[in-house]
């Protein structure tokens, strides 16, 4: 096959119109004669005077035929022919040898074997030569035409294939876009609907005519269900919301648009919060405009409402905490007076009237119970002084398990799932113990017919925006969970369980302070808490407490528990500073009972005056929160500066001073929490007076 030359057109085949014929002869006359003989053919005759010249032409273009003289200077005809045949591009070019001398068979044979298609003797008959050349040129043109046709067909075929492929790709892309859009639309918590108002019934609105497919994911019902039962939508609106919803919707007939919110019972039986919004589509008719169709959307806003309710719940509990904390503070001051005075009466009555002693004792019991309650309230209000120390939580749970096993009824099994590699907490052990006890008691109370309590611990790391504990700051925690298989809590109980005094237990069985204390403690400790509960299946209370990395902070104060009261040494004087008259009077009497000389002052300025007047106290016993712009911490700093060696003991009914003191205090000294027992006061004073000297805190 003769290949097209390098000059290819857009369709990939030669665009030359005339076939070329290469005439090779070293004799110009012969070349001229050949040219003349072929002059009537529609060809380009290209002349070459040597084999080398011929080869050069062959490099540049394709020929339909070569007329090749055998006897050439340099490369002879045979050699040129064999070189032509060696080149892929010219391999099939027909060659006709021309020879005037070699007329025997040997030369014919050599010529044919060198690739000739013919062997013509010179002088050649022009007519014969022309017709031979014409055959080959014709053949060349035909094959070139054939090639052109094939190329066109191939091109069309390629185009077709490419067009098909492109169309298919475009179709696939479109399909993907549609699928995605479908998926997005299907997953949107919104469904479209329309109501035909043509035949409005007397009692209000007819059911929806058309409902979009997305209703399936929103409601659990297929769209068809609404077409089959036009009353379906209305029948599942919460009974408390139904009449309002219908009235507002009916009013929309007049106003033209509506936005209503109501609860709607989905197929799974759960109520969803639905935002129902729509407009009237009016049609012109008989001169007046009349409502024809109502088009609206149902949007599921349950998640949003839930989040809002949770936030409101947290805010409510925080507000309650502030209120409770304020009341508890005042209570503590009053209780300090009551308990202190009762204690004094008790000591003076020791040998006296037994009946009176019993009455005083009962009053004391009542006051002490009040004090306990106040402590619990302060815990909820996050205003309790915490005595943080490193705690091995698993060890604590194991210790408590013995008590649980002994005290829980046989029907209740108690189990643990404790992580082996559990980290350490730096917390107030007593608080964590009371927390666990409260949770176990709650679990027991929720399982009147028995069941299983499981206490679990594990390390947990919280990242940004945790789904389970959204309010917990990112960080490392210990996760403590107490799960039971009891009655569970309905949502309205679960929502209020952290509120102080909220209880579902009968009078005398619960105060409703257990979970509120736990809540306050967990929050104060920088942790988080959640309730997972399902009616009839059980409850799991899950708590996060920050895992400790650094060393344990110093305990705020350690108080002795034994009621032995170390007395004053001879001549020891206390400067007592307290703004509450009742409390000051009671404290002064107690101090005198213990053998101290007492100098009293109602505020800081008065105390400094006493010092200026020449009082020489051994110890300053001062309240923290006082009127007059100078608190107990400031007073201690000034007084110690004036009287180096003066010992200090702080007291407060406001326990958060104990928490804040690390920032404010310049004179390091213990803080006695009001209300305090006599022995606590006696021991704390003795403890300070027996110290070498009051230390100044180096770094404020
Ligand atoms: N594990 C539980 N299972 C079911 N309901 C619970 C559970 N824990 C708490 N509750 C519910 O939460 C309410 C409040 O609990 P909380 O511990 O604060 O108070 P209480 O147990 O009623 O009283 P208190 O703990 O002060 O004796 C309970 O009355 C109860 O209805
Ligand atoms: Mg409880």
């Amino acid at each position: 096959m003769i290949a097209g030359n390098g000059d290819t057109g857009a369709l990939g085949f030669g665009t030359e119109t005339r076939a070329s014929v290469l005439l090779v002869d070293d004799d110009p006359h012969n070349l001229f004669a050949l040219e003349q003989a072929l002059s009537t053919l529609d060809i380009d005759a290209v002349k070459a005077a040597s084999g080398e010249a011929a080869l050069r032409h062959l490099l540049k273009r394709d020929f339909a035929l070569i007329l090749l003289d055998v006897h050439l200077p340099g490369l002879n005809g045979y050699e040129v022919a064999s070189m032509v045949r060696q080149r892929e591009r010219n391999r099939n070019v027909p060659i006709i040898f021309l020879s005037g001398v070699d007329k025997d068979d040997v030369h014919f044979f050599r010529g044919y074997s060198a690739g000739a298609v013919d062997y013509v003797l010179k002088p050649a008959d022009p007519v014969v030569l022309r017709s031979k050349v014409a055959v080959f040129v014709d053949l060349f043109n035909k094959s070139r035409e054939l090639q052109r046709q094939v190329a066109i067909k191939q091109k069309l075929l390629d185009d077709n294939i490419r067009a098909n492929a492109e169309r298919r790709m475009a179709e696939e892309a479109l399909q993907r876009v549609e699928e995605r859009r479908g998926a997005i639309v299907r997953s949107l918590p919104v469904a479209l609907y329309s109501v035909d108002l043509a035949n409005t019934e007397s009692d209000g609105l007819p059911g929806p005519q058309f409902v979009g497919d997305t209703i399936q994911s929103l409601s659990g019902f297929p769209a068809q269900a609404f077409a089959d039962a036009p009353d379906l939508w209305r029948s599942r609106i919460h009974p408390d919301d139904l009449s309002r919803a219908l009235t507002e919707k009916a009013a929309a007939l007049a106003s033209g648009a509506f936005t209503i919110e109501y609860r709607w019972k989905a197929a799974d039986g759960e109520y969803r919060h639905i935002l129902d919004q729509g407009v009237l589509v009016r049609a012109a008719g008989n001169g007046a405009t009349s409502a024809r169709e109502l088009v609206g959307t149902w949007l599921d806003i349950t998640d949003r409402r839930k989040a809002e309710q949770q936030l409101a719940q947290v805010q409510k509990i925080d507000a309650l905490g502030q209120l409770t904390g304020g009341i508890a503070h005042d209570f503590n001051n009053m209780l300090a007076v009551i308990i202190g005075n009762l204690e004094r009466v008790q000591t003076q009555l020791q040998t006296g009237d037994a009946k009176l002693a019993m009455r005083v004792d009962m009053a004391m019991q009542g006051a002490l119970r009040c004090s306990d309650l106040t402590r619990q309230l302060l815990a909820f209000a996050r205003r309790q002084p915490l005595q943080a120390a490193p705690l091995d939580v698993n060890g604590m749970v194991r210790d408590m398990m013995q008590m649980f096993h002994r005290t829980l009824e046989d029907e209740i099994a108690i189990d643990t799932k404790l992580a082996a590699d559990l980290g350490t907490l730096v917390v107030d052990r007593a608080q964590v113990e009371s927390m666990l006890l409260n949770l176990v008691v709650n679990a027991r109370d929720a399982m009147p017919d028995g069941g299983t309590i499981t206490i679990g611990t594990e390390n947990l790391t919280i990242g940004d925006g945790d789904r389970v504990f959204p309010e917990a700051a990112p960080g490392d925690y210990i996760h403590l969970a107490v799960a039971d298989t009891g009655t569970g809590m309905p949502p309205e109980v679960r929502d209020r369980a952290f509120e102080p005094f909220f209880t579902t237990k009968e009078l005398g069985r619960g105060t409703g302070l257990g979970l509120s204390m736990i809540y306050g403690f967990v929050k104060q400790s920088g942790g988080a808490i959640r309730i997972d509960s399902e009616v009839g299946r059980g409850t799991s209370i899950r708590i996060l407490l920050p895992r400790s990395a650094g060393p344990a902070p110093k305990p705020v104060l350690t108080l002795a528990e034994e009621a032995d009261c170390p007395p004053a040494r001879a001549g020891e004087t206390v400067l007592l500073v307290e703004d509450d008259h009742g409390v000051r009077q009671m404290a002064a009497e107690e101090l005198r009972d213990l053998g101290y000389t007492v100098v009293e002052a109602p505020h800081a300025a008065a105390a400094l005056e006493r010092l200026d007047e020449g009082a020489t106290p051994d110890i300053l016993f001062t309240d923290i929160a006082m009127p007059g712009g100078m608190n107990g911490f400031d007073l201690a700093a000034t007084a110690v500066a004036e009287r180096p060696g003066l010992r200090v003991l702080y007291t407060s009914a406001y326990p958060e001073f104990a928490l804040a003191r690390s920032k404010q205090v310049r004179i390091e000294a213990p803080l006695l929490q009001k209300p305090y027992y006599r022995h606590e006061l006696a021991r704390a004073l003795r403890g300070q007076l027996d110290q070498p000297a009051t230390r100044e805190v180096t770094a404020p």
Side-chain angles (χ1 to χ4, degrees):
M1 164 95 37
I2 298 159
N5 71 2
D7 178 19
T8 51
L11 292 179
F13 49 83
T15 49
E16 69 270 50
T17 45
R18 299 210 299 179
S20 304
V21 176
L22 183 58
L23 313 176
V24 191
D25 204 311
D26 57 330
D27 180 343
H29 296 104
N30 283 348
L31 278 178
F32 182 73
L34 282 173
E35 204 176 8
Q36 286 306 304
L38 304 178
S39 61
T40 56
L41 293 179
D42 185 22
I43 58 164
D44 262 345
V46 177
K47 293 174 284 183
S50 67
E52 288 82 358
L55 289 173
R56 273 200 296 280
H57 283 296
L58 278 160
L59 285 177
K60 281 187 245 156
R61 59 203 284 190
D62 292 321
F63 292 93
L65 176 70
I66 303 171
L67 295 181
L68 185 56
D69 186 18
V70 174
H71 291 282
L72 290 168
L75 293 170
N76 67 32
Y78 304 127
E79 286 165 337
V80 173
S82 94
M83 288 176 84
V84 168
R85 289 284 175 261
Q86 276 166 27
R87 278 191 72 222
E88 179 66 36
R89 184 169 171 185
N90 310 126
R91 178 157 303 191
N92 297 310
V93 187
I95 299 172
I96 298 176
F97 278 119
L98 299 168
S99 178
V101 263
D102 310 310
K103 295 182 180 162
D104 53 30
D105 286 352
V106 179
H107 284 282
F108 286 119
F109 182 73
R110 191 167 172 205
Y112 286 116
S113 59
V117 293
D118 206 348
Y119 201 101
V120 178
L121 293 174
K122 290 196 235 178
D125 178 353
V127 178
V128 172
L129 189 65
R130 187 163 54 241
S131 51
K132 284 191 177 183
V133 169
V135 168
F136 285 106
V137 168
D138 194 38
L139 191 66
F140 176 80
N141 284 337
K142 286 224 167 80
S143 69
R144 199 165 60 170
E145 178 56 25
L146 203 64
Q147 202 183 352
R148 197 197 307 268
Q149 296 292 338
V150 168
I152 289 173
K153 288 227 173 81
Q154 186 62 48
K155 167 98 173 59
L156 290 176
L157 204 66
D158 287 350
D159 285 355
N160 197 21
I161 290 170
R162 195 168 50 239
N164 276 342
E166 277 168 8
R167 198 184 57 223
R168 211 170 43 243
M169 270 163 61
E171 280 170 3
E172 281 170 12
L174 188 68
Q175 198 181 344
R176 275 199 301 277
V177 168
E178 274 170 1
E179 277 169 5
R180 259 189 54 209
R181 193 166 48 205
I184 290 168
V185 168
R186 275 193 304 280
S187 67
L188 281 180
V190 60
L192 207 72
Y193 70 92
S194 70
V195 180
D196 187 355
L197 297 173
N199 31 27
T200 306
E201 293 148 26
S202 52
D203 72 324
L205 294 163
Q209 213 83 61
F210 162 81
V211 175
D213 287 338
T214 49
I215 194 67
Q216 170 95 50
S217 65
L218 190 150
S219 72
F221 291 105
Q224 190 58 39
F226 293 88
D228 294 347
D231 205 35
L232 180 61
W233 185 262
R234 183 194 306 202
S235 71
R236 300 185 76 89
I237 295 178
H238 196 290
D240 294 350
D241 298 345
L242 181 62
S243 76
R244 177 180 51 87
L246 289 181
T247 317
E248 286 178 16
K249 222 167 185 175
L253 290 177
S255 69
F258 63 90
T259 299
I260 322 168
E261 195 184 321
Y262 47 78
R263 285 161 293 170
W264 194 87
K265 196 174 182 179
D268 60 8
E270 293 266 338
Y271 274 102
R272 318 287 302 167
H273 286 264
I274 300 293
L275 188 69
D276 189 345
Q277 293 179 293
V279 287
L280 285 181
V281 181
R282 291 174 195 276
N286 299 345
T289 57
S290 62
R292 200 183 50 176
E293 202 182 11
L294 191 151
V295 180
T297 54
W298 289 317
L299 179 65
D300 185 347
I301 54 166
T302 311
D303 291 347
R304 196 200 305 171
R305 283 284 167 272
K306 274 205 177 130
E308 283 168 4
Q309 279 168 4
Q310 270 166 14
L311 186 68
Q313 191 68 22
V314 168
Q315 284 169 343
K316 186 169 90 182
I317 286 183
D318 283 350
L320 265 173
Q322 278 170 17
L323 198 70
T324 322
I327 295 171
H329 164 240
D330 290 345
F331 245 77
N332 261 353
N333 260 340
M334 294 186 268
L335 282 170
V337 177
I338 295 171
I339 290 172
N341 280 308
L342 284 174
E343 246 185 336
R344 283 179 53 72
V345 173
Q346 273 178 330
T347 47
Q348 282 162 19
L349 269 178
Q350 256 158 17
T351 50
D353 187 340
K355 237 181 184 171
L356 198 60
M358 195 187 74
R359 293 227 167 91
V360 172
D361 199 43
M362 275 162 62
M364 188 66 155
Q365 293 309 318
L368 290 178
R369 275 222 303 280
C370 261
S371 170
D372 272 351
L373 211 66
T374 315
R375 254 186 249 277
Q376 289 176 323
L377 282 173
L378 282 168
F380 167 66
R382 304 175 211 173
R383 287 181 176 184
Q384 57 186 338
L386 296 179
Q387 302 184 18
L391 172 66
D392 159 23
V393 180
N394 284 347
M396 184 206 75
V397 173
R398 284 192 204 100
D399 289 349
M400 292 183 78
M401 283 298 281
Q402 299 176 353
M403 175 184 72
F404 294 146
H405 280 307
R406 264 187 272 115
T407 48
L408 290 175
E409 296 82 353
D410 288 345
E411 299 82 59
I412 293 178
I414 182 156
D415 221 347
T416 55
K417 277 195 188 131
L418 309 179
D421 59 343
L422 197 69
T424 308
L425 285 181
V426 175
V427 280
D428 192 323
R429 180 186 173 114
Q431 294 295 330
V432 184
E433 278 180 347
S434 115
M435 177 171 90
L436 193 60
L437 182 66
N438 264 297
L439 292 177
V440 168
V441 169
N442 277 355
R444 181 205 63 192
D445 291 350
M447 299 191 293
D449 304 324
T452 305
I453 301 174
T454 311
I455 302 173
T457 60
E458 63 180 342
N459 293 324
L460 203 65
T461 298
I462 299 287
D464 258 332
D466 190 81
R467 289 184 65 91
V468 182
F469 290 100
E471 78 274 32
D476 293 335
Y477 293 88
I478 282 182
H479 179 227
L480 180 75
V482 176
D484 63 60
T485 56
T487 53
M489 298 182 225
E492 58 275 15
V493 170
R494 190 190 54 209
D495 287 349
R496 297 193 59 193
F498 291 133
E499 284 177 27
F501 303 115
F502 175 81
T503 179
T504 58
K505 293 170 191 173
E506 62 195 75
L507 207 66
R509 278 216 58 174
T511 57
L513 281 174
L515 283 178
S516 30
M517 260 166 59
I518 294 172
Y519 182 89
F521 165 66
V522 168
K523 289 282 172 162
Q524 192 180 339
S525 305
I529 181 164
R530 62 173 283 151
I531 300 177
D532 294 292
S533 190
E534 212 176 309
V535 175
R537 309 207 84 198
T539 301
S540 169
I541 312 278
R542 302 171 61 184
I543 289 158
L544 291 186
L545 289 171
R547 217 184 311 157
S548 87
K554 261 202 302 194
V556 169
L557 179 69
T558 16
L559 293 176
E561 278 165 11
E562 282 311 307
D564 103 77
C565 301
R569 301 225 170 89
E572 280 178 331
T573 304
V574 178
L575 174 52
L576 168 67
V577 192
E578 166 66 64
D579 60 308
D580 187 304
H581 179 73
V583 175
R584 192 173 67 243
Q585 215 177 2
M586 192 227 28
E589 280 186 43
E590 250 163 20
L591 289 168
R592 284 190 194 104
D593 274 358
L594 290 166
Y596 292 99
T597 307
V598 182
V599 178
E600 292 180 45
H603 48 75
L608 293 174
E609 264 171 43
R610 302 284 174 280
L611 291 179
D612 288 345
E613 288 159 13
T616 52
D618 300 280
I619 184 160
L620 168 69
F621 178 43
T622 179
D623 193 17
I624 304 288
M626 287 183 295
M630 196 183 213
N631 68 25
F633 296 134
D634 301 335
L635 171 62
T638 315
V640 171
E642 277 183 27
R643 294 287 167 86
L646 179 70
R647 314 291 202 273
V648 176
L649 178 64
Y650 299 117
T651 183
S652 179
Y654 241 151
E656 68 260 44
F657 282 125
L659 307 166
R661 65 198 291 269
S662 58
K663 285 177 224 133
Q664 291 190 24
V665 73
R666 272 169 293 154
I667 299 299
E668 176 119 12
L671 188 145
L672 195 58
Q673 178 67 48
K674 288 186 210 169
Y676 46 81
Y677 291 104
R678 216 160 102 96
H679 70 268
E680 291 174 332
L681 173 64
R683 293 196 131 213
L685 284 170
R686 203 60 271 145
Q688 281 309 93
L689 285 165
D690 291 346
Q691 289 247 326
T694 300
R695 277 178 297 130
E696 185 137 3
V697 176
T698 39

